[in-house]
Amino acid sequence: MVPGEENQLVPKEIENAAEEPRVLCIIQDTTNSKTVNERITLNLPASTPVRKLFEDVANKVGYINGTFDLAWGNGVNTADTAPLDHTSDKSLLDANFEPGKKNFLHLTDKDGEQPQMMLEDSSNVDDSMHDRFIGPLPREGSVASTSDYVSQSYSYSSILNKSETGYVGLVNQAMTCYLNSLLQTLFMTPEFRNALYKWEFEESEEDPVTSIPYQLQRLFVLLQTSKKRAIETTDVTRSFGWDSSEAWQQHDVQELCRVMFDALEQKWKQTEQADLINELYQGKLKDYVRCLECGYEGWRIDTYLDIPLVIRPYGSSQAFASVEEALHAFIQPEILDGPNQYFCERCKKKCDARKGLRFLHFPYLLTLQLKRFDFDYTTMHRIKLNDRMSFPEELDMSTFIDIEDEKSPQTESCTDSGAENEGSCHSDQMSNDFSTDDAVDEGICLESSSGTEKISKPGLEKNSLMYELFSVMVHSGSAAGGHYYACIKSFSDEQWYSFNDQHVSRITQEDIKKTHGGSSGSRGYYSSAFASSTNAYMLIYRLKDPTRNAKFLEVDEYPEHIKNLVQKERELEEQEKRQREIERNTCKIKLFCLHPVKQVMMENKLEVHKDKTLKEAVEMAYKMMDLEEVIPLDCCRLVKYDEFHDYLERSYEGEEDTPMGLLLGGVKSTYMFDLLLETRKPDQVFQSYKPGVMVKVHVVDLKAETVAAPITVRAYLNQTVTEFKQLISKATHLAAESMRIVLERCYNDLRLLSVPSKTLKAEGFFRSNKVFVESSETLDHQAAFTDSHLWKLLDRHANTIRLFVLLPEQSPGSYSKRTAYQKAGGDSSNVEDDCERVKGPAGNFKSVDAILEESTEKLKSLSLQQQQDGDNGDSSKSTETSDFENIESPLNERGSSTSVDNRELEQHIQTSDPENFQSEERSDSDVNNDRSTSSVDSDILSSSHSSDTLCNADSAQIPLANGLDSHSITSSRRTKANEGKKETWDTAEEDSGTDSEYDESGKSRGEMQYMYFKADPYAADEGSGEGHKWLMVHVDKRITLAAFKQQLEPFVGVLSSHFKVFRVYTSNQEFESVRLNETLSSFSDDTKITIRLGRALKKGEYRVKVCQLLVNEQEPCKFLLDAVFAKGMTVRQSKEELIPQLREQCGLDLSIDRFRLRKKTWKNPGTVFLDYHIYEEDINISSNWEVFLEVLDGVEKMKSMSQLAILSKRWRPSEMKLDPFQELVLESNSVDELREKLSEISGIPLEDIEFAKGRGTFPCDISVLDIHQDLDWNPKVSTLNVWPLYICDDGAVIFYRDKTEEVMELTEEQRNELMKKESSRLQKTGHRVTYSPRKEKALKIYLDGAPNKEVAQD
């Protein structure tokens, strides 16, 4: 909630400081990671000594003064970095603090030691210093925010120190300051507190959690007996049936008072307290209408709990000066005449009448609500009235009792208009009648009822109606949000106190006067249009009657059940105190344990007292991990462990009797390490861990092409590679002589440890490491490491990811293409069959095996011929086989040869019939017929499709988790043919977002990348609809998206240029992947991909959103269609292609010379594109580009880039209106030419032209009431491209007027009407709308303790 910028209540001793400059200090506590984001704000008089600043800061944060330093923070006085002197008597002004500005300070450690917290026994600290300002001060930049009050000045120590006033505060849950204010007022009301104590809770009849009176009793007992500074209210709000979200709802304190009293009445039915609320707070008044001709009077009796007093009379700008004036206005009758005449039952006609209210009875506790919240019908916003309204400390209500009823003979005989309703009005009826709150459904969630009550005769209380003020509930803020606190007078010592959430402090009568409202001088730093004000909102008076005025019950006067409750709460508080002490001395650290049987890493949190020994801690951890039935206790020990690096730092030999606090380095909120409960077998011995390194060792089997799960080995940095090999040999039983060790220092950074004498430290080992070891007698040892089988296998292992691909629903149009890849043999109805067919040159279908057997020799000769002749002129195309073609397969020797032969088969296919594919490509591309198609067709199958891609029939188990086996496609295209080739990451194409799959030579980009690809059918758990199939794909993530799409062609059934790839994110949102020259490196394991049919963009093509510019419409931007523009295309060509699309999709029949295209920047129109401009040469274009299409009224006037197109709008002051936009085309940026053009189109003499540039986004709307003062009219410049105009591009908005034209004189009524129209117009266009209040939730208290969900949703 928002505090006021006027320091609400300033204690008397610094009252004079309000007139002097104030210094805003913003202090950031950097001593603790938990407080580094918290800021303390102090607004001090400039004469305050520096030492006083330290004292205030110490009390705010709960530190002992002198144990911390304050140094200048960033932003202010950064040159002076020395800490401030905490003993200095210099004023803040003399210490270089700047009044009216933010002075940033850092609270830092003193001499390297953390600040000391205030202890519980330090309650002798001057509390008035802690609450120097009674009203809350906002933090830096806080507007309409309540969360600041939750933590401001609220530390663990401050809540434990009771205020020296002897009173206890209430913790603000979030936005519950309104509740705290009311609860403190009720607590400080003797009659209410005593009556509440007399009520006894019967636990057998009701749940204590949902009993509102019982929870109020507990709260009041704690407020009276607790030693804390502040206590929580969560138990009370829980009894209301509120959850945590209600704490974040702002409500009105008067509304809460009414609803809570209704709830208490319902709870207290048939008890001694049943009529307590009415006895204390209920008054009566008469609502009457009297005929002025015959004197006949109709009336009814109403009851009220509070009297709502208006601040300003309706339609007036002058507020009532005092509460007495407002009360007189409340009972002032009005005359019903003219069309409002009253039909008199006695006269049998409409007559003039007097209608009004008369007070018949005032309650013992009189509640006055000052109606500061109103509704402004001109702006259609809620507002707060901050006018001054004084209220006396003693209020004589005898002047407001009207004894006229006794003199009126007609009164007693009147029964027809209102007598039958006598006493039938519920106690909250008048509150509803006069409340500003429109919500009819607010209140408790059950039907209310009331019985008939006797009416006391008026005039009997005339003589004893002197009331004394004892509670002022103050609101600080605006109608959008604010903060409540209460100023309450204690009847025990007649002293005033401020109850501001958890802070309680003494105040004076002068401070009460400052809550009357109105202006009080400078508003200080927070002065702004949204600045809040602080003033009284609710007043509570008590009748001065010695016979009824009660005193608070003393402890020995408590009823027995309250004495028991006090004892119970004291015990709970002592127990809580002991628990806090234990918590303060408890080490909390993460505990891990690898279960000796299940081999699962378990995690828990070990909480051990700092004085417990290591031996006792081991026993606690042993029981916590449930190992009693698994292994003996002496087979367990605690060791220092680093979970992040999975590293055992050290063991604690011989320290079994050392306290844990000493072992762990003290009690800390967080530790930089963890503990591991290590276990051993009974026949094993624990290893002593000295500071070393953990190594995860993966054993590689080159023959099986597998990488085993890791085993952990502990090594030391001073060990040599030879010694390390011996260590691994013992752990893995591999021969050390032929062992090769590869260290993975970071992702895919593989280093062969080849120097035997080198130490592990020199090789780059750190705290946690991963190595791959291989020991075999193969010739692979002799190859260079980067050319070896081991390197290729590890490289593939590190870069393969698993993707789940959802194929599109099979459509009739793609069926013929899909069958080209399906296998003829076997069960053709089996959808999950992995095998597919290959289309031969003549279109005949043969099995892969048959083609391979018949064509092996022939294909080899064709491949040789292809190398010699070149493929479409691409002499650099490589026909090298896979890097893995010579790897022996332990699973299927035939798989590798099939992969080789099949690749040659694909080359044969594309060489045999290139025209067939090319014509197919042309037939599918019907958008850009005027441009030649790039020769991509012969390369459509140039990426390798192995037997796994086309016929993965063996369904063998995958040896590696990432799907590596000898059947996988592994074409690592790193050949000399790629040297000197154009870089795949073409900067221009990347930035522009082009979706080309081919480079300039027509060669597939996929061939220049790593081509490991393996696809298997996958049964998805979630139903994807009939006709959809999933693939589980293992692929090298360094493959380009273009090559990936080519690999998917056989499964999709269409060419890669005719389907799109969509990446699915966790929220099931799909985004198209369009940059085909990028790799899959941004994809992670188990990413989902959706394939959709549709034409993909070619090289140099871009998708463009075309929107229509309607300059004189309410919404100037209207989306039309998506189009495709290409690099090298002229603007005129793009317009020609748009014409048929506009006709078919948008119903716009335009000729090419009657519309233009122009730049679109959000909603702003920019540069006009001329017909001869070329995309990518004259006009920068990018992916998902947007462009405006503007329909012209006549021939295009823009012919050259030196011209300037400006939109002008005339303001007519005499009519208070704006004309539509007119376009001006200037030949230069001269202001004189602009004036001439404006004079030409408007007829205004040149010397009388005045103009101003529009502000904000197009159409730069502004109210006609503000335009003459908000714009910078007639700037003294000669060119448009200088300040304050800065008009350098087309699309600028210029307002102009005739300076001789007088502004229209408006009456108040006309101005209000025009304000409404302008407000409505600007809201519709989306301009000048700054107020968007959240939907308010009705305040309800649920008597059964749980809200009805259906009601809650209303």
Side-chain angles (χ1 to χ4, degrees), residues 1089-1124:
I1089 289 173
T1090 300
I1091 304 297
R1092 300 193 187 282
L1093 299 178
R1095 176 187 177 283
L1097 296 177
K1098 296 181 181 179
K1099 182 182 185 316
E1101 291 186 338
Y1102 303 88
R1103 297 194 195 282
V1104 178
K1105 291 184 181 298
V1106 181
C1107 301
Q1108 186 175 1
L1109 177 63
L1110 304 163
V1111 292
N1112 286 310
E1113 295 294 326
Q1114 184 174 303
E1115 180 50 60
C1117 178
K1118 176 186 175 184
F1119 175 75
L1120 294 178
L1121 51 81
D1122 283 314
V1124 176

Side-chain angles (χ1 to χ4, degrees), residues 623-637:
K623 293 177 180 177
M624 188 179 292
M625 292 300 182
D626 294 324
L627 299 180
E628 292 98 328
E629 305 296 326
V630 182
I631 55 172
L633 176 61
D634 59 2
C635 291
C636 300
R637 69 169 180 176

